[in-house]
Amino acid sequence: MELFLSMSLNFFLLFNAYITSAENYYQTLNAVISIEDKANDNLTDLLRNFIASSGKEVISQISRTKDCHLKNGEINCVCEALFSKKDGVECNPVNRVSVNGTIVHGKKTYSDDLTNPNTDAFKELSNNIIQEFSKEYSKLKWFNSLTITKFSKGSVKIHFRMTFDTDEGIEGIDNITAELQKEYGKAELVTEGFVRITAPTGRVEYNTNVNLSCETNANLTGDAAWYLRRENGEETEIYGGTEVELKNQLSKSTIHLSNTSSVWRGSYICEFKQGTVKHQASVFLDVALLPKINIFTDPQFPDCKKPRPTDKVTVTCAIENTTEIYNVNWEDKDFTSPNKKFEHGNLLYSIVKTVVCTSKEDIKVSCNFTNNLNQFKPEYLTIPVIYSDTKVCPKDGDWPEAKAGYVAKLPCGSKQKGERTRECQKEQGWDKEIPECVNLDLGDISERALDLQRGLGKFTDIAPKVFEDMKKSTQGNINSRANLNTSVLIFKTMYSVSLSKNESIEGESLLTDILTSASNIINDSLKGSWDVKIAADYLIYVNGLLGKAEVNDEEKTPNINHKPCNGDCQVFNVTMTFPKNGSGVATGYKTLGEYLPLKIEDDTDLDSRGIVLQINAVNTNSVQFKFSHVNRTKNHKLHCVVWNPSDTRWSEDGCTWGGASNPEHCECELPLDNNVRSSESSNRYKGAAFTVLMAKNPVIIPYIEKLTWVGLFVSVVSLFVCLMIEFAVWNAVVKSSIAHFRHTAVVNISLCLLLADSSFLATAFPESTPSQWCRWLVVMKHYCFLAMFFWMLCLSLVLLHSLIFIFHRLRKKVYLGASFTVGYVCPLIIVVLTVIAYDNGKEDSYYLPTTCWLKYEGAFQGSFFAFVMPVGIIVAINVLSMLLVIAKLLTPSISEGSTPDDKEVIRGILKAVIFLTPIFGVTWAFGFAVLAIDHTVMPMSKIVNYAFTVCNAFQGLFILLTACLGEKKVRDQLSEIMRCNSKVYKTSRGELSTSKTSNQSSIKKK
């Protein structure tokens, strides 16, 4: 029997003159002892306490490595405890530690001779290094060997490998390496065997919990680091995340995986770092996988409309091609042999299914994938068969004929993943296409961000690469909702990681890449792909990331301006003013306001009128804004609003608008940030987003519309009555030229106003008025109102003529010819020219279909001023005429003799004002006040609007009461007519009564 021994040789050696003391050096020796079997037990006891010394050498700690027996000429060996065969090597210590290292030899110059191990230069340098390094590293107990593996460039970079038979005292390797670095250069060492790792044996199930741990016998300072090396060679450090938890104790570390998947399959490396030395251990975690299954058919909608008994359809289940081997089963056994092929990185399993067209039922199929741990995942599909009586959506481009009530699907382009879907609705037919296609590069960036969130990688290492790639990706074609949603998801994921790990955005280049990426995805060209939810998430997560950055200088991109503010500062076209000692960081987003919900608490429909501003402030609880070029439409209220993320809408809480006199001004309060320390709570405020929104509809004066329609109806009835009265009393009251002209003017004014008011009533509901009707009714209103005012002008001018030229009377033919020309021809010319000037009366140019009235675009803009300007001139002339009448009343003529009584004068003036105001259209002067005073100015706008509406909607009634019934001759004639009618009525009744009496007498006589 032979006994192999491992012995530690301890010897002493004096150094040269530079060393003044001696040190211990260790060498492991191997020996063979042949003994009789009977002496085995005695030898074991003898060697356990054996110590031998010979001069400077001491042999101790002898351990048995293997026990060999000779039997029948054959030697059979068994490794002793704590020793084992590994990689074909004879019994080595179980706790053997191997060290791979590099160290730079700064005093040597690299040459090509050092490439080949067989050259003299390689052998000479290798032997020298081995002697020098062995001399130092053999100071560690159980030092076994040191070899040079190669030399490489970088001065001369030495690659070497050492072994130690146990891990006892290995922690001292760092001190020795540190000393060697002083002589040579930078060194890096990696040990294997010093750290022990524990992991599940064999495969682990998909989507389960797993614990891995590593530890050392030495008390090392610092926490262990974990790395995952995937099968493609990619190595990533593991940090805590949503799917992994790290726990570090003294010389021990544990990770807990909560959701095993393909993400966590690979080699796990546990590393304790000690200066220049990395103590590592690794283990492979084999995770059984389950696939994501995409099941589809070809054709998607089998056609059984034609008379045939059966049809064939190919059913395919596609999965990602991985190393996992699945057992694939199909629920329905009625199929041909399954086919398997590779396509675009996917593994496709297909069968051919027979569709029985006479059954008239949809067919259900499924495929089931089972891994070698008997975990399985099925996927089901109902095949929508089109029969002769099936309602379908017709073929539309590349969309096939589809069965109603189902969703058609098409694959995305070659550089995208996902699918395009389109629903075939039962009643409305084809719905719009929903392209859920994500660019491959953007999808890969999203996966990297999600891996970071799961716990793979360090934020400060991954974030710069993520946003650098995202900046490039978003500069391309990303015009789809799916791409925008994925982009915002990347921001969301990165913000969540930074928040959970308390990471900051460090480095100007990283901040620039974030801003550029965020700016790219709010370009105007992508407007059609945004929705409210994506925009709301964008605002939260982009602002969250930017809030993690330290801003010293302004950063500006095409759509985002990010800058520090102190006092006054400008972001795009918005000027912000902070109170004294107040400061903050402002971020302006150009187009984002158009994508966010344009509503506030009262559900007012709004339009975006300014950029969205994110403010993070210090030492102030309020900020003032001036939104330049806000383009407010007259009578439309602006709302200064702050974003409420919890309700996903804008709110006016804490914000004040400057009003119509200062429409560009807003002042808002900032919410206090309760998440900061109490010592800072008095000067730190939450980041909040602000903007200004304009109401789509003008401010509505209460009851003004109802009052208008009631007034117009009363006017129409009154004007009709007025015309009837004029026709009834005409011959009796028209006795002079002045009377003739006055009543002619009243009749024409009443007729024009009647037609105009009737046209207004006809368009009381513009949304239901046909477009052509609306156009002609606008022309009618425009013309009739102008004609009414020109007739008023004629009446006013005749009155002026009679006051100024007392002894000159106008002839009937002259004033009638002139009045009809002015009253009807002049307005006709104005209307015709206006229609021609505004695109021949085109909708939204000459008139608005929403109001069926002339278009108002601002001061002296729009067809509305083709009505306002002539009316304004006429009203001014009529007011002048009325003032001359009043002046005449105040200045008696010579023929009147004595000065009249003051009361009589006042009575005459009041009578003139009351009687002339309606017929001269003076009340329309309120209309200019309506135009001048904004509806948002309360209560003045209410006063003016109510006055205008009452005076002019009821103008027909006032004309009836003043111009018609206000004349004594008319009233007298009406009374006479009524008396005559009464006499006729009584006479008729008397004759009728007499006739009845005579008839009764005749009957009695008979």
Side-chain angles (χ1 to χ4, degrees):
M1 174 183 177
E2 292 182 335
L3 183 67
F4 291 82
L5 304 178
S6 176
M7 297 171 286
S8 178
L9 178 63
N10 188 357
F11 60 96
F12 293 91
L13 178 65
L14 291 176
F15 283 85
N16 56 30
Y18 294 104
I19 303 297
T20 59
S21 60
E23 296 185 0
N24 291 327
Y25 295 86
Y26 293 87
Q27 178 66 51
T28 300
L29 301 179
N30 292 293
V32 179
I33 299 177
S34 299
I35 61 173
E36 295 291 333
D37 286 343
K38 295 179 180 179
N40 185 19
D41 293 337
N42 295 330
L43 180 63
T44 301
D45 293 336
L46 175 65
L47 295 177
R48 183 178 295 118
N49 298 310
F50 179 83
I51 297 178
S53 62
S54 175
K56 299 177 182 179
E57 300 175 349
V58 176
I59 300 175
S60 64
Q61 294 182 307
I62 301 176
S63 302
R64 295 173 57 158
T65 60
K66 65 180 178 178
D67 195 357
C68 297
H69 296 267
L70 179 62
K71 187 175 182 180
N72 299 327
E74 294 183 1
I75 299 177
N76 296 312
C77 297
V78 178
C79 293
E80 293 286 342
L82 302 179
F83 293 86
S84 66
K85 286 186 177 182
K86 187 176 182 182
D87 298 328
V89 180
E90 291 296 326
C91 300
N92 284 321
V94 173
N95 293 330
R96 170 169 281 188
V97 176
S98 63
V99 181
N100 291 301
T102 62
I103 190 167
V104 176
H105 199 322
K107 299 178 180 179
K108 292 285 185 180
T109 302
Y110 184 84
S111 65
D112 293 338
D113 293 341
L114 296 177
T115 304
N116 187 351
N118 298 318
T119 62
D120 293 338
F122 186 98
K123 291 178 180 178
E124 181 183 358
L125 182 59
S126 176
N127 291 333
N128 293 335
I129 296 299
I130 289 173
Q131 289 180 11
E132 294 180 21
F133 283 15
S134 296
K135 180 181 176 181
E136 298 300 322
Y137 285 114
S138 63
K139 296 175 182 179
L140 299 176
K141 201 171 186 180
W142 300 106
F143 172 79
N144 184 290
S145 65
L146 187 150
T147 58
I148 303 298
T149 57
K150 68 174 183 178
F151 298 106
S152 62
K153 293 181 180 180
S155 295
V156 174
K157 195 172 186 179
I158 305 165
H159 299 258
F160 61 95
R161 179 179 176 83
M162 297 184 292
T163 57
F164 295 83
D165 281 341
T166 71
D167 60 0
E168 183 181 350
I170 291 296
E171 61 270 21
I173 198 172
D174 179 56
N175 294 329
I176 296 174
T177 304
E179 291 298 323
L180 285 174
Q181 282 189 121
K182 296 177 181 177
E183 178 69 19
Y184 289 88
K186 183 180 179 181
E188 291 182 0
L189 274 67
V190 178
T191 71
E192 294 181 13
F194 183 61
V195 176
R196 296 180 301 280
I197 192 167
T198 304
T201 57
R203 305 196 81 191
V204 298
E205 291 185 342
Y206 179 81
N207 194 23
T208 190
N209 297 329
V210 170
N211 290 321
L212 296 90
S213 63
C214 66
E215 60 182 330
T216 68
N217 290 330
N219 294 328
L220 300 179
T221 59
D223 295 332
W226 286 83
Y227 300 87
L228 173 62
R229 183 184 295 125
R230 288 175 172 162
E231 291 171 290
N232 61 4
E234 179 185 343
E235 187 173 301
T236 310
E237 188 171 357
I238 300 173
Y239 285 79
T242 57
E243 295 183 6
V244 61
E245 181 183 2
L246 276 73
K247 291 183 179 180
N248 283 301
Q249 299 171 333
L250 182 63
S251 300
K252 184 177 181 179
S253 181
T254 303
I255 61 172
H256 173 75
L257 301 176
S258 59
N259 182 21
T260 53
S261 64
S262 59
V263 173
W264 300 108
R265 178 187 172 100
S267 296
Y268 285 78
I269 302 168
C270 177
E271 175 182 292
F272 286 90
K273 192 168 184 180
Q274 186 184 16
T276 59
V277 181
K278 298 176 181 178
H279 302 290
Q280 292 184 346
S282 64
V283 66
F284 184 79
L285 184 65
D286 190 6
V287 180
L289 306 180
L290 283 177
K292 180 180 179 182
I293 307 169
N294 180 25
I295 185 170
F296 56 92
T297 63
D298 184 25
Q300 189 174 350
F301 300 92
D303 189 358
C304 281
K305 289 187 296 184
K306 297 179 181 179
R308 52 182 170 179
T310 61
D311 192 13
K312 299 292 185 180
V313 59
T314 301
V315 183
T316 302
C317 287
I319 64 171
E320 183 182 357
N321 185 25
T322 63
T323 57
E324 190 74 29
I325 299 175
Y326 297 102
N327 181 23
V328 184
N329 297 310
W330 299 83
E331 182 178 339
D332 194 329
K333 303 301 181 183
D334 181 23
F335 57 82
T336 60
S337 299
N339 180 38
K340 177 182 176 182
K341 67 176 181 178
F342 297 95
E343 187 176 292
H344 304 304
N346 291 325
L347 190 58
L348 278 63
Y349 295 84
S350 301
I351 62 169
V352 177
K353 173 70 179 173
T354 300
V355 177
V356 180
C357 292
T358 56
S359 67
K360 292 197 173 184
E361 292 181 358
D362 290 333
I363 300 169
K364 296 181 179 180
V365 294
S366 70
C367 53
N368 186 40
F369 288 74
T370 306
N371 61 28
N372 62 4
L373 294 183
N374 291 322
Q375 290 181 289
F376 62 90
K377 185 177 182 181
E379 193 68 30
Y380 302 92
L381 177 68
T382 298
I383 303 176
V385 183
I386 298 176
Y387 299 101
S388 57
D389 58 348
T390 301
K391 190 172 182 179
V392 298
C393 294
K395 188 177 185 303
D396 184 17
D398 54 351
W399 292 100
E401 183 180 51
K403 186 174 184 178
Y406 288 85
V407 176
K409 299 178 180 179
L410 289 176
C412 296
S414 58
K415 295 184 179 181
Q416 295 179 316
K417 62 180 179 180
E419 60 186 10
R420 300 154 54 202
T421 62
R422 192 177 183 187
E423 183 181 359
C424 176
Q425 298 177 339
K426 291 184 178 180
E427 301 299 332
Q428 291 82 12
W430 280 117
D431 196 5
K432 66 179 181 179
E433 177 184 338
I434 302 176
E436 294 296 333
C437 300
V438 179
N439 295 354
L440 290 177
D441 54 352
L442 201 59
D444 291 341
I445 297 170
S446 178
E447 282 300 318
R448 274 185 278 155
L450 290 173
D451 281 349
L452 178 64
Q453 187 179 42
R454 292 183 181 110
L456 279 174
K458 189 176 181 181
F459 181 85
T460 52
D461 296 334
I462 302 297
K465 183 62 176 172
V466 163
F467 286 111
E468 181 185 1
D469 292 345
M470 187 179 179
K471 177 183 67 175
K472 298 174 183 177
S473 179
T474 53
Q475 287 172 345
N477 181 16
I478 58 168
N479 194 4
S480 74
R481 183 191 178 281
N483 278 327
L484 288 180
N485 191 47
T486 302
S487 301
V488 174
L489 179 62
I490 294 172
F491 283 112
K492 177 181 179 180
T493 305
M494 298 303 290
Y495 172 64
S496 299
V497 174
S498 69
L499 199 63
S500 62
K501 297 184 178 181
N502 197 25
E503 296 281 0
S504 300
I505 303 299
E506 298 178 353
E508 186 177 342
S509 61
L510 175 56
L511 178 60
T512 301
D513 289 344
I514 292 174
L515 287 169
T516 304
S517 302
S519 175
N520 290 341
I521 64 176
I522 57 173
N523 277 333
D524 280 334
S525 59
L526 307 177
K527 185 180 296 185
S529 301
W530 281 87
D531 63 30
V532 169
K533 185 181 182 306
I534 296 177
D537 288 345
Y538 174 97
L539 184 61
I540 293 172
Y541 302 119
V542 172
N543 283 333
L545 276 174
L546 296 179
K548 291 275 186 177
E550 187 71 28
V551 184
N552 297 316
D553 299 310
E554 180 179 10
E555 295 278 348
K556 196 168 185 180
T557 63
N559 297 308
I560 299 178
N561 191 0
H562 185 64
K563 66 189 297 185
C565 292
N566 190 358
D568 292 352
C569 73
Q570 184 168 344
V571 175
F572 290 127
N573 63 338
V574 180
T575 302
M576 287 162 292
T577 303
F578 290 90
K580 187 178 180 181
N581 299 325
S583 62
V585 176
T587 309
Y589 302 89
K590 261 189 180 178
T591 57
L592 183 60
E594 300 175 24
Y595 312 142
L596 291 166
L598 298 174
K599 287 184 179 293
I600 52 178
E601 288 90 339
D602 59 359
D603 287 332
T604 303
D605 287 332
L606 304 168
D607 271 333
S608 177
R609 276 297 181 272
I611 67 170
V612 174
L613 274 170
Q614 174 75 18
I615 305 295
N616 295 304
V618 179
N619 293 328
T620 181
N621 64 347
S622 67
V623 62
Q624 295 180 3
F625 306 96
K626 183 181 179 182
F627 290 85
S628 302
H629 312 298
V630 75
N631 296 326
R632 184 181 79 96
T633 304
K634 182 176 170 58
N635 299 331
H636 290 244
K637 184 179 180 181
L638 291 182
H639 299 266
C640 300
V641 290
V642 59
W643 180 250
N644 186 338
S646 59
D647 293 337
T648 321
R649 67 191 307 168
W650 296 104
S651 171
E652 289 186 289
D653 291 347
C655 288
T656 305
W657 177 45
S661 59
N662 194 9
E664 298 177 343
H665 180 81
C666 289
E667 183 170 357
C668 292
E669 295 179 356
L670 293 169
L672 189 65
D673 192 348
N674 295 319
N675 295 322
V676 298
R677 297 189 302 269
S678 58
S679 60
E680 301 175 350
S681 61
S682 61
N683 64 352
R684 296 288 297 180
Y685 293 87
K686 286 183 182 179
F690 304 91
T691 192
V692 60
L693 304 174
M694 188 185 78
K696 285 186 177 181
N697 300 313
V699 174
I700 303 299
I701 306 298
Y703 308 109
I704 200 77
E705 188 173 353
K706 292 180 180 179
L707 186 62
T708 299
W709 301 130
V710 171
L712 289 175
F713 178 77
V714 172
S715 283
V716 167
V717 174
S718 300
L719 291 168
F720 182 78
V721 172
C722 182
L723 289 174
M724 292 300 100
I725 291 173
E726 286 291 336
F727 292 139
V729 303
W730 183 272
N731 293 328
V733 299
V734 177
K735 301 296 185 180
S736 64
S737 297
I738 293 297
H740 184 274
F741 177 75
R742 180 182 177 281
H743 284 275
T744 300
V746 169
V747 168
N748 284 279
I749 290 170
S750 299
L751 179 62
C752 291
L753 184 56
L754 175 63
L755 293 175
D757 286 351
S758 299
S759 299
F760 255 109
L761 286 173
T763 56
F765 304 100
E767 64 278 358
S768 59
T769 304
S771 178
Q772 288 298 323
W773 283 36
C774 185
R775 177 183 301 170
W776 289 113
L777 287 171
V778 170
V779 172
M780 176 68 75
K781 287 185 279 187
H782 190 187
Y783 176 72
C784 289
F785 273 124
L786 284 180
M788 177 192 75
F789 277 103
F790 274 99
W791 272 102
M792 289 178 175
L793 176 63
C794 292
L795 184 60
S796 171
L797 292 176
V798 170
L799 180 60
L800 277 177
H801 182 274
S802 62
L803 289 175
I804 297 172
F805 305 102
I806 299 173
F807 301 105
H808 185 272
R809 300 295 180 182
L810 287 173
R811 288 179 297 171
K812 183 185 292 187
K813 288 184 179 181
V814 174
Y815 71 70
L816 285 179
S819 297
F820 276 93
T821 301
V822 173
Y824 291 114
V825 176
C826 289
L828 179 63
I829 293 172
I830 294 173
V831 171
V832 170
L833 291 177
T834 304
V835 170
I836 294 172
Y838 288 92
D839 297 333
N840 293 321
K842 189 178 179 181
E843 183 179 301
D844 286 320
S845 179
Y846 172 65
Y847 72 98
L848 294 174
T850 54
T851 59
C852 277
W853 184 227
L854 301 172
K855 186 176 182 180
Y856 175 79
E857 298 180 88
F860 300 102
Q861 296 179 4
S863 59
F864 182 65
F865 281 91
F867 169 73
V868 170
M869 293 182 69
V871 168
I873 294 171
I874 292 171
V875 169
I877 295 172
N878 291 351
V879 170
L880 178 62
S881 298
M882 195 166 69
L883 292 176
L884 289 174
V885 171
I886 295 172
K888 179 65 176 175
L889 293 173
L890 292 172
T891 309
S893 62
I894 299 173
S895 60
E896 291 178 353
S898 60
T899 303
D901 183 60
D902 290 342
K903 291 183 179 180
E904 290 297 326
V905 173
I906 294 173
R907 189 179 296 113
I909 292 172
L910 289 175
K911 184 177 179 181
V913 171
I914 292 171
F915 279 79
L916 293 178
T917 294
I919 202 65
F920 277 7
V922 176
T923 54
W924 284 75
F926 285 115
F928 295 96
V930 169
L931 290 176
I933 298 176
D934 198 280
H935 283 194
T936 59
V937 179
M938 296 293 179
M940 185 55 68
S941 63
K942 286 186 178 181
I943 296 171
V944 170
N945 277 272
Y946 284 132
F948 175 78
T949 301
V950 170
C951 290
N952 295 291
F954 291 90
Q955 187 176 9
L957 175 62
F958 298 143
I959 289 175
L960 172 65
L961 295 177
T962 58
C964 189
L965 297 178
E967 187 177 348
K968 188 175 185 305
K969 290 181 180 181
V970 174
R971 293 198 303 272
D972 293 342
Q973 185 59 31
L974 282 177
S975 299
E976 184 65 27
I977 292 172
M978 292 176 67
R979 283 196 299 271
C980 291
N981 288 338
S982 177
K983 287 180 181 179
V984 171
Y985 176 71
K986 290 179 179 179
T987 303
S988 298
R989 287 194 62 185
E991 291 176 352
L992 180 61
S993 177
T994 304
S995 175
K996 286 182 179 181
T997 304
S998 300
N999 289 335
Q1000 289 175 359
S1001 299
S1002 299
I1003 292 170
K1004 288 180 180 180
K1005 288 177 181 179
K1006 291 179 181 179

